[in-house]
Amino acid sequence: MRKVVIFALLSLFAWCDIFDDGAYAYDNDDFKMAKILWQKACKSGHSGACYSMGVMYETGQGVEQDFKKSSEFYQKACDDNLAEACYYLALNFENGRGVRKNWQKAKELYKKACDGEYQDACEKLKNLH
């Protein structure tokens, strides 16, 4: 049992290192490396990496701008309750970027993001009422 716990902890540290290495690459304009590292971390379940991939595709930094892919990555992170990802996914549903425009879905996602204490989402909800 102890070996399993140690392995799990080592895996967690490696997972965080991959994300952090991706952030370092991104901050130094090495978008190709950031994409490689964040994709790997996202596939391993790191919601921050999934969100970061969504940002890359939304802004077109290091990749061709693609709102559909951006929304897919935001969805993965939002499914893990990353409030900021829920907010940006809601914006895409509100504006029909990469997904079919859907006000009800946008409102649900803004609420989820607000419940996760993402203040911009709470403001957006106030304005929608």
Side-chain angles (χ1 to χ4, degrees):
M1 177 69 174
R2 193 167 157 205
K3 288 181 183 179
V4 171
V5 171
I6 291 170
F7 178 75
L9 287 173
L10 290 175
S11 296
L12 177 63
F13 291 131
W15 184 52
C16 292
D17 284 346
I18 292 170
F19 175 75
D20 290 342
D21 290 347
Y24 179 81
Y26 186 88
D27 289 343
N28 288 286
D29 297 331
D30 188 353
F31 302 120
K32 184 177 179 181
M33 181 55 70
K35 178 184 174 193
I36 290 167
L37 294 168
W38 283 343
Q39 276 183 319
K40 185 175 182 178
C42 179
K43 285 180 184 177
S44 297
H46 192 289
S47 57
C50 296
Y51 168 75
S52 297
M53 288 296 302
V55 171
M56 285 186 79
Y57 278 104
E58 182 174 328
T59 60
Q61 288 224 273
V63 295
E64 187 173 326
Q65 188 175 44
D66 186 331
F67 290 111
K68 184 173 189 271
K69 284 184 180 179
S70 174
S71 294
E72 290 168 1
F73 281 109
Y74 287 151
Q75 183 68 63
K76 287 179 184 182
C78 182
D79 288 346
D80 280 342
N81 297 313
L82 187 64
E84 193 168 2
C86 297
Y87 173 77
Y88 283 99
L89 182 59
L91 284 174
N92 285 354
F93 273 103
E94 181 181 348
N95 297 300
R97 290 186 308 200
V99 292
R100 185 180 300 252
K101 191 180 248 189
N102 184 331
W103 282 96
Q104 186 59 38
K105 181 71 173 172
K107 190 174 177 181
E108 291 169 12
L109 289 164
Y110 285 133
K111 181 170 180 355
K112 184 174 181 177
C114 182
D115 290 346
E117 300 182 4
Y118 193 72
Q119 202 56 44
D120 289 349
C122 299
E123 292 298 319
K124 199 69 146 136
L125 272 177
K126 286 180 196 174
N127 294 331
L128 290 177
H129 290 288

